[in-house]
Amino acid sequence: MNGAVDSSDEMLMLAWAGGDATAFELLYARHRSPLYRFLLRQLRDPSMADEFFQDVWQRVIGARDGWKPEAAFRTWLFRIAHNRLNDHWRALKHRPPAPVDGEDSANRQPDPSNPEHELSEFEQRRQLQRAIDELPDEQRVVVLLRLEQELSLEEIGAITGSGRETVKSRLRYAMDKLRAGLNP
């Protein structure tokens, strides 16, 4: 595929549906990290995140032949992930408890040049992670999609099946709760 690196996700998906395997490789490379981070933040379990990650991509592969560019590819991809998570939570009827420490926090090594500064940043990240984990499901999803994936309100609405004003309201309430939780 000529110019595939510069192609939109939608053009890559159409090219892949037409048999261009390189187009799929580019789509996967563009979206694997953001998708995996989203799933890991929701599930808080790397092995489950791996399983869901594979499941979402399998669904993308399964939908290849019938895919139509009615929504942005990224919006469609995260909608699949969101629906898969909803199915999972409905089946379990609960969410797991918030972790004592975030996965990212545990993997970071403090900077030996300024340990007090790093410890302070670590504590702030940990507080933020805990505050996000304590949000209601609908608000947490909106916050993660907005802050981590940098999606627009319209894209989040398409993913969650909610109207723009509902997304905006959930985001506002979530941000208020985060501010209150971080500035007691």
Side-chain angles (χ1 to χ4, degrees):
M1 174 175 198
N2 292 338
V5 173
D6 297 327
S7 294
S8 72
D9 291 338
E10 293 72 29
M11 294 302 294
L12 288 172
M13 187 68 180
L14 290 170
W16 177 52
D20 185 348
T22 303
F24 177 77
E25 291 171 13
L26 289 168
L27 275 173
Y28 181 79
R30 285 181 185 176
H31 298 285
R32 71 176 172 228
S33 293
L35 177 63
Y36 183 78
R37 279 193 310 271
F38 174 71
L39 291 168
L40 184 60
R41 291 290 302 269
Q42 292 294 313
L43 295 163
R44 300 182 202 111
D45 178 340
S47 64
M48 283 185 70
D50 289 342
E51 179 184 329
F52 279 55
F53 178 81
Q54 293 301 323
D55 187 45
V56 169
W57 283 108
Q58 286 299 320
R59 291 176 190 211
V60 169
I61 290 167
R64 172 177 92 164
D65 293 332
W67 187 81
K68 302 278 186 252
E70 295 165 358
F73 175 81
R74 183 167 82 165
T75 301
W76 179 67
L77 178 68
F78 277 87
R79 175 93 177 158
I80 293 170
H82 176 73
N83 289 342
R84 178 63 179 93
L85 288 165
N86 280 344
D87 291 345
H88 173 71
W89 298 131
R90 269 193 293 275
L92 289 181
K93 303 271 191 233
H94 78 287
R95 284 190 63 88
V100 174
D101 206 344
E103 177 86 16
D104 292 343
S105 303
N107 293 330
R108 289 198 174 93
Q109 296 295 321
D111 180 359
S113 64
N114 191 348
E116 286 107 17
H117 178 71
E118 286 295 321
L119 184 58
S120 173
E121 286 184 2
F122 171 81
E123 284 300 321
Q124 289 173 352
R125 285 190 303 270
R126 197 165 98 182
Q127 284 178 330
L128 178 60
Q129 179 61 49
R130 283 183 180 159
I132 290 172
D133 288 341
E134 291 173 5
L135 291 172
D137 291 344
E138 299 83 15
Q139 292 175 11
R140 182 177 39 261
V141 168
V142 169
V143 165
L144 292 175
L145 289 172
R146 180 73 173 145
L147 299 180
E148 290 186 352
Q149 304 304 322
E150 300 178 357
L151 297 176
S152 70
L153 298 177
E154 291 78 12
E155 290 171 314
I156 295 169
I159 290 167
T160 61
S162 304
R164 183 182 190 282
E165 290 304 313
T166 301
V167 170
K168 191 174 174 182
S169 176
R170 288 177 181 165
L171 186 59
R172 182 174 18 98
Y173 284 123
M175 296 306 287
D176 288 346
K177 287 178 184 176
L178 291 175
R179 280 187 208 97
L182 296 175
N183 298 314

